[in-house]
Every structure is written in C-alpha cells, then in structure tokens.
Amino acid sequence: MAERKTVFMSIGTDVIHGGHIEIIGQAAQLGELTVGVLTDEVVAAYKRHPLLSCEERMKIAAGLKGVAHVVKQNDIGYAAPLRALKPDYVVHGDDWREGFQKPVREECLQLLAEYGGELVEFPYSHNREYDRLEAAARSQLSIPDLRRGRLKWLIEKKGLVTCMEAHNGLTGLIAEKTAVMENGVIRQFDGMWVSSLCDSTIKGKPDIELVDFSSRLNTINEIMEVTTKPMILDGDTGGLTEHFVYTVRTLERIGVSAVIIEDKIGLKRNSLFGTEAHQQQDSIPNFCHKISEGKRALKTKDFMIIARIESLILEQGLDDALKRAFAYVEAGASGIMIHSRRREPDEVFAFIRRFREKNQHTILVVVPTSYNAVTEDEFKSRGANVVIYANHLIRSSYPAMQKTAETILRCRRSKEASEQFCMPIKEILSLIPEE
Ligand code: SPV
Ligand code: MG
C-alpha cells in the first residue's frame, strides 16, 4: 500500500470560521495534516494582538476534524516546520500571492523545492461575514480592559518595544497601521506615545503644562477611538500629588497603559532646553511620595507609573540619576525613563549598565531624540525595554505643510503645490473609509 502523504498548513487566526474549516477539510483530503499554530508574538506582529493565547489556539486546532497533529510555529516563515517535517504538501489560501505575504510564499516555494514538496493553493474566500467577524475581533482590542495590559505583555514577550508619538486621530492611525516588510519579517510600532511637546505644539501652545488635563484627555480619547495599540502618556510632572492620584485613576480606567512623570517641580520647560531654561528638579522624598500615592490609587496590576529622571538633562550627574532611580523603584515605580539631550549616547549607556548591575527587572525607557544614531537592537542588547520616538510625526509634518503654504503664496494659485506636495483628492477622500 502506498504511504500516506503528509500535509502542512499554518494557522494564525483566533476566529475560526467556515472558511478555515473548509480549507482544513480540503487539506486533510490530501493526506495526514499537521497544523502549525503561530505564536502570540508572530500574530501580534503581522496581524493584531490575538484574543486567544497560542496554547488555547493549539487546543482548538487539535480538536478540528481532519487535523492529525499540531505544532507551535515560532516564525511567519515556513523554514522550521518544513525542514523538520518535510511534508509532501503545503496548503495555503491564494491570497498570499500578493501583498506582504508574497516573500513568505516565495521562501516557502524555495524550501519545498529543496526536497520536492508541493504547494497547493485554494481560492481565498472573500466573504463579507468573515471580514465583519475579523473587524469585530479587532475592535475588541480597543476595549480599555484589553488594551491597558498589552504594553506589559509586549515587553515581557519581546524584551523591547517601540512607541511612535501620536497627537491626534490621524497620527494615531499612522502609529497603528504603518508596517514595513523586511526579509519576511513585518515591522510595526508596538504602541503610542502621547507627548506633551506634540500635544502642546499641535494646539499652538508652548510645552509648559499649559494644555490642561481635560484637553490632554480629549487628545487621548481621540486617538483611542480609532486605534487599538497600547498608549503611554507623557504626564509631565504629574502636577500636585493630590491631583495626580485622580489623574492616575482616570488614565487607568480609560485604558492607557502607562504614565511617565518627570521629577521636576514648578514651571516645567521641555527637557531638550536642558539648562538653557530655568528648570528645577524635585526632591527625592517629594517625588517618591507622588509615585507611591499614585501607586496606591491603582485598581489593576496592568497600569504602570514610570518615573522619569531629569538629572542628566539638568547636569546633575550619573550618580544622582542612579540614586534617584533606585529610590523611585523602591517607592513603587514600574519603570524608569532616563532622559538625555546629548548627541552621544554614552551617559545613557552608562546609566543603563549601572542600573542593570543592581536591577535586572524594572522596565527601562529611553527617548533617543538627540542620540538618534543608536539602533533598537543596540538598546535591547544593553537592557532597555522601551524606545520612544517622541516627536517625529509632528516634526516631519510641519515643514511639509509650511512648504505647501509658501508655494501657494508665491504662485498665487494652488496648482504647483497641489502637483508637487499634495496627495490626490481621491486618495484623501478614501483614506478614512466609513465603517
Ligand atoms: C515630550 O515628548 O513631550 C517629552 C520628551 O517630554 S522631550 O520632548 O524630549 O522632553
Ligand atoms: Mg513632555
């Protein structure tokens, strides 16, 4: 009797619908079917945060009719399972012939050619009901209780996460949706940073805690309404401790993942002014009190209060920064943000090294605006956990808008600006589709 053929297919979804059952049934007819269940990190990177864990999804897959074996798949690519299993057939929907999965398909074909395996593609079912299901699953992720803890989860899974600044719904969508494909790996930002500088600048105000909390809250809500990724709020100094406890409760309730407060007191100026502007650092006991009171106000284990140290900005030295860091952790800070305005990363690296000698677990946040040549991989290898791109969308949009305005003034009409700098009307009309 001829040996039974073997079949492999990958599953990343946590919403199993009739379309999946159909394709699994067809795959099982070809032979003994092994299903690779993509890990949570992989699903989060290429699609969205999974609502069910990999272990749960493996149990579900194992129970489906036609599935003989289930394996965990650690990569969107097929190299590991195909080299290990050498299945006669790989089954996939034909939707991956185009779009971001195209290189994955090409790699899969090469792998199959190595040992004479075959790719079997079934027509992908564009069913509106399935699209609606996926949209409903995605919208779940914006629910505060599901969004809040996702920053911690991502840091635990990935070691290092990246956050892009967002200052309104549109920039929120850019932070949420921008993705690039590189060697079969999809890169996206993990979360968003709601910067005081950008939130003030977009309102035409200086970054001196002039934009009040209600207004900051409006910005947060505007972004949250159209996105699902975790959010870190730049909480400035946190204000009076008596007020901060209420701020913390509000932020936690609406699904923000973390607030970062800086150890300054009095009229706050943007850190990138350094000592050029008068700025005063808070005392250690006072700031520790603010942290511990904020911590006491929390209702969940998900929300994080992160203490930002301004010692390097105010030229108080590394020892002062470290002394503060350990005191703030002792007071209950879930993380430390170390800030610097030098072009060289040396003092930040020295801080991370000396902090990590004594503390391997507390989350470390860096904001490499001035020392911008350091890569994310290097930060990770040195022990940082969060990289924040604090102001780049506003800094890139302002010059672009100014150029358009100047060109219209100079030309006394909009033709030139429109042709050179503006996206087509048709594209802007369909940029945000109706749901
Ligand atoms: C912000 O983005 O508002 C920050 C970071 O606080 S910085 O501008 O570098 O101070
Ligand atoms: Mg700020």
Side-chain angles (χ1 to χ4, degrees):
M1 199 175 88
E3 216 175 285
R4 201 162 172 230
K5 299 278 188 189
T6 54
V7 189
F8 179 81
M9 69 178 281
S10 236
I11 295 191
T13 187
D14 47 8
V15 183
I16 299 273
H17 53 59
H20 299 119
I21 301 292
E22 217 167 282
I23 203 166
I24 286 169
Q26 285 166 318
Q29 279 182 10
L30 295 171
E32 186 170 317
L33 174 62
T34 300
V35 166
V37 176
L38 294 170
T39 60
D40 296 337
E41 297 92 301
V42 176
V43 178
Y46 95 94
K47 192 173 169 184
R48 62 166 164 77
H49 184 90
L51 295 170
L52 293 176
S53 70
C54 182
E55 283 65 34
E56 284 294 312
R57 290 181 285 113
M58 285 176 82
K59 279 186 201 160
I60 293 172
L64 296 177
K65 193 172 157 203
V67 176
H69 313 281
V70 172
V71 293
K72 194 182 262 191
Q73 193 175 336
N74 295 307
D75 190 2
I76 195 168
Y78 283 64
L82 293 205
R83 293 215 164 105
L85 305 169
K86 294 201 171 29
D88 297 303
Y89 301 112
V90 165
V91 166
H92 202 285
D94 61 2
D95 53 317
W96 71 339
R97 291 181 180 195
E98 294 304 328
F100 73 90
Q101 292 198 76
K102 199 171 161 189
V104 182
R105 177 181 186 267
E106 279 159 14
E107 188 205 39
C108 178
L109 283 169
Q110 273 174 19
L111 290 158
L112 287 166
E114 281 173 20
Y115 65 88
E118 204 180 307
L119 175 63
V120 179
E121 290 171 323
F122 293 116
Y124 183 78
S125 48
H126 281 287
N127 183 319
R128 285 185 68 144
E129 183 56 20
Y130 301 159
D131 293 347
R132 197 193 58 75
L133 272 176
E134 176 52 32
R138 191 172 282 273
S139 73
Q140 290 280 311
L141 297 174
S142 62
I143 291 171
D145 280 342
L146 291 180
R147 189 197 289 242
R148 190 190 304 113
R150 221 173 304 135
L151 183 66
K152 248 188 192 172
W153 183 91
L154 281 163
I155 294 171
E156 273 163 25
K157 291 274 178 190
K158 298 181 72 174
L160 180 113
V161 303
T162 58
C163 292
M164 171 50 82
E165 73 98 345
H167 50 264
N168 55 22
L170 187 63
T171 46
L173 285 173
I174 291 179
E176 173 94 3
K177 292 191 171 169
T178 305
V180 293
M181 179 92 185
E182 222 180 57
N183 307 324
V185 176
I186 292 158
R187 307 187 64 82
Q188 294 187 42
F189 296 107
D190 298 296
M192 289 166 284
W193 163 248
V194 181
S195 143
S196 69
L197 172 66
C198 303
D199 203 1
S200 304
T201 305
I202 200 75
K203 294 171 172 65
K205 300 263 169 68
D207 181 19
I208 53 171
E209 294 190 275
L210 176 63
V211 177
D212 66 16
F213 186 59
S214 304
S215 181
R216 302 289 312 276
L217 214 46
N218 276 339
T219 306
I220 294 169
N221 278 322
E222 183 180 322
I223 298 168
M224 286 200 148
E225 219 163 270
V226 294
T227 61
T228 65
K229 287 185 176 173
M231 179 187 284
I232 304 177
L233 176 72
D234 172 2
D236 286 320
T237 65
L240 294 172
T241 299
E242 293 81 351
H243 295 175
F244 180 57
V245 290
Y246 287 93
T247 307
V248 160
R249 276 199 201 135
T250 305
L251 296 174
E252 183 184 38
R253 192 183 68 245
I254 63 176
V256 172
S257 299
V259 64
I260 299 186
I261 51 169
E262 56 194 280
D263 57 357
K264 287 202 296 232
I265 197 159
L267 182 62
K268 186 222 80 156
R269 299 276 183 29
N270 184 277
S271 301
L272 301 175
F273 282 125
T275 50
E276 288 154 30
H278 176 73
Q279 316 214 44
Q280 195 187 338
Q281 205 168 8
D282 203 351
S283 73
I284 295 180
N286 208 30
F287 200 65
C288 283
H289 179 63
K290 197 181 281 187
I291 295 166
S292 56
E293 286 300 291
K295 197 78 186 180
R296 243 162 38 92
L298 293 180
K299 302 264 189 272
T300 70
K301 288 200 179 351
D302 296 337
F303 187 84
M304 293 189 280
I305 297 174
I306 297 175
R308 161 172 169 175
I309 294 170
E310 293 286 293
S311 304
L312 304 180
I313 294 286
L314 300 172
E315 295 177 9
Q316 295 303 301
L318 190 56
D319 287 340
D320 182 73
L322 285 158
K323 187 165 100 186
R324 286 171 175 272
F326 294 123
Y328 299 163
V329 171
E330 193 64 32
S334 301
I336 295 291
M337 169 182 152
I338 184 66
H339 206 14
S340 162
R341 65 194 281 261
R342 298 231 177 118
R343 291 187 68 82
E344 297 305 320
D346 310 26
E347 59 180 10
V348 171
F349 287 171
F351 176 92
I352 297 175
R353 183 173 47 77
R354 287 185 53 194
F355 183 81
R356 283 284 178 243
E357 277 166 13
K358 289 204 181 137
N359 179 321
Q360 286 81 50
H361 305 297
T362 301
I363 288 165
L364 279 182
V365 183
V366 291
V367 184
T369 302
S370 50
Y371 48 101
N372 56 15
V374 183
T375 62
E376 292 159 9
D377 286 344
E378 171 142 28
F379 282 125
K380 185 174 180 180
S381 71
R382 287 178 184 269
N385 307 104
V386 182
V387 171
I388 294 177
Y389 297 104
N391 42 48
H392 298 79
L393 295 185
I394 203 157
R395 279 171 58 209
S396 51
S397 59
Y398 182 76
M401 292 192 286
Q402 213 175 22
K403 201 155 58 176
T404 299
E406 284 171 4
T407 305
I408 292 175
L409 274 181
R410 229 173 259 126
C411 300
R412 295 169 180 76
R413 63 179 191 181
S414 67
K415 182 176 188 293
E416 294 74 10
S418 192
E419 283 171 5
Q420 289 176 66
F421 310 127
C422 300
M423 67 200 282
I425 289 287
K426 211 172 152 210
E427 272 179 37
I428 192 78
L429 289 178
S430 56
L431 184 68
I432 316 280
E434 285 179 36
E435 284 190 4

